[in-house]
Amino acid sequence: MSTTSDGTPDRTQHGTPDGTVPGTSGRVVVVGSANVDLVVDVPRHPGGGETILGGELRRNPGGKGANQAVGAARAGGADTTFVGALGHDDAADLLLASLDRGGVRTDLVERVEAATGTALITVSPDGENAIVVAPGANSHVTVGAAQAERIAAADVVLAQLEIPLDVVRAAAAARRPGALLVLNAAPSRDLPDDLWAEVDVLVVNEHEAADLAGASGDGEPSVLAGLLLERVPAVVVTLGGEGSLVAERRAGGPLLTTVPAIPVEAVDTTGAGDTFCGVLAAALARGADLPDAARLAAAAGALAVTRPGAQDAVPDAADVVALAERAENPTRPT
């Protein structure tokens, strides 16, 4: 991708309604975590020291990295490789099968002598979730020669923070000139200066944005995005039901674009943000500008919350494009 006069990525080229540029292809490598999700519906999330009776226990494939890989492949239509680590257990078999069904290349997933990562998730009636993660094998993700070679062929490298920071650094170092590093800085944690310098697009929610900007949690998204633009060329602040704010560094000042959410009836928000990130990366890999990529990602995230689960809830690319087009042209027949 070309750059502007101030050295930031040039995302001014507009594509087709599905967020692509004619004649381009997209290759994405997702470097991140994979977890088996243990999910239970609850009448409300428990407080400290409280026990609540929930519904039936569900065991689903998840993990931010694996979710985003399925999002990029199935919902985003990109040639997607997942770089991660799994144990030698049945949870690993569950995850590999799900990634394969999602169209993700898994030949670079390593099997290690640790339990596959596990997430404990409660889901309230309004679809909101609370999550605790035991990292397990995710603490052993590495970028070896084979992984670095695949990363060097990618258009976009997508990473999160459920894996060691050194792995994110190694992935950033392995990418080719012109390839983008999209960092979903979740869960929130301090980032070293050398990693800040590698990020092309930062994706955060409001709480993560406030943490990274060193600002109050009730800060305005536009203010938080402006502070983060001092560190990175572009920021996407996701705002749940309010949509997202896309902020890009420009020579004449920040360019802010509001991307509205698409109203749907939420069933389960688990993994919806990951679907958003995966589709965003896939669209950028095909040459879409950042606001167009965010619009397509919003459609994917909207569809994801209408279904239970994480990877199981990721929609097909054709459905994502159709919803994005209907949202852009409300009078268009269904």
Side-chain angles (χ1 to χ4, degrees):
M1 185 174 289
S2 60
T3 58
T4 63
S5 58
D6 64 348
T8 60
D10 182 5
R11 303 180 181 88
T12 58
Q13 187 178 27
H14 288 266
T16 59
D18 64 348
T20 66
V21 175
T24 65
S25 61
R27 291 168 296 183
V28 175
V29 173
V30 181
V31 182
S33 59
N35 298 321
V36 59
D37 291 346
L38 303 180
V39 186
V40 61
D41 293 323
V42 293
R44 57 184 173 79
H45 297 296
E50 184 180 16
T51 299
I52 286 181
L53 290 178
E56 294 295 322
L57 180 68
R58 303 191 299 276
R59 189 168 178 264
N60 301 325
K64 295 192 72 64
N67 294 346
Q68 292 179 14
V70 173
R74 181 189 296 156
D79 177 348
T80 305
T81 295
F82 177 60
V83 172
L86 299 171
H88 296 277
D89 47 32
D90 61 348
D93 297 334
L94 174 73
L95 284 157
L96 286 173
S98 179
L99 288 164
D100 288 340
R101 286 196 305 272
V104 178
R105 300 170 69 179
T106 59
D107 56 306
L108 297 180
V109 174
E110 295 185 319
R111 307 296 288 269
V112 300
E113 296 302 325
T116 295
T118 302
L120 310 176
I121 304 174
T122 56
V123 181
S124 60
D126 61 359
E128 289 298 318
N129 58 66
I131 306 174
V132 176
V133 175
N138 296 312
S139 298
H140 301 275
V141 178
T142 60
V143 175
Q147 288 85 355
E149 182 178 1
R150 187 73 56 82
I151 289 170
D155 302 297
V156 171
V157 178
L158 173 59
Q160 325 77 34
L161 299 180
E162 287 185 339
I163 56 175
L165 287 179
D166 284 346
V167 179
V168 180
R169 284 193 185 95
R175 74 193 195 280
R176 62 176 174 78
L180 299 178
L181 176 66
V182 177
L183 178 64
N184 175 214
S188 182
R189 60 196 291 189
D190 291 336
L191 299 180
D193 289 343
D194 63 327
L195 186 53
W196 276 112
E198 297 289 346
V199 177
D200 296 296
V201 180
L202 180 71
V203 184
V204 285
N205 63 25
E206 287 181 274
H207 302 294
E208 294 152 359
D211 286 346
L212 290 173
S216 168
D218 60 358
E220 286 293 322
S222 59
V223 174
L224 296 175
L227 292 170
L228 293 171
L229 284 180
E230 297 175 6
R231 307 297 301 266
V232 296
V235 179
V236 179
V237 182
T238 59
L239 306 171
E242 300 301 316
S244 63
L245 176 67
V246 176
E248 300 172 275
R249 189 190 297 163
R250 289 288 186 262
L255 175 63
L256 302 181
T257 305
T258 299
V259 177
I262 300 175
V264 294
E265 184 174 344
V267 172
D268 183 359
T269 60
T270 306
D274 294 332
T275 299
F276 180 101
C277 290
V279 172
L280 184 85
L284 291 174
R286 291 193 300 270
D289 71 8
L290 189 54
D292 282 348
R295 293 183 186 99
L296 195 66
L303 289 172
V305 302
T306 64
R307 309 167 185 176
Q311 291 168 37
D312 292 339
V314 175
D316 293 331
D319 293 335
V320 173
V321 172
L323 180 59
E325 290 179 342
R326 289 199 298 273
E328 187 175 348
N329 304 288
T331 60
R332 179 178 180 273
T334 302

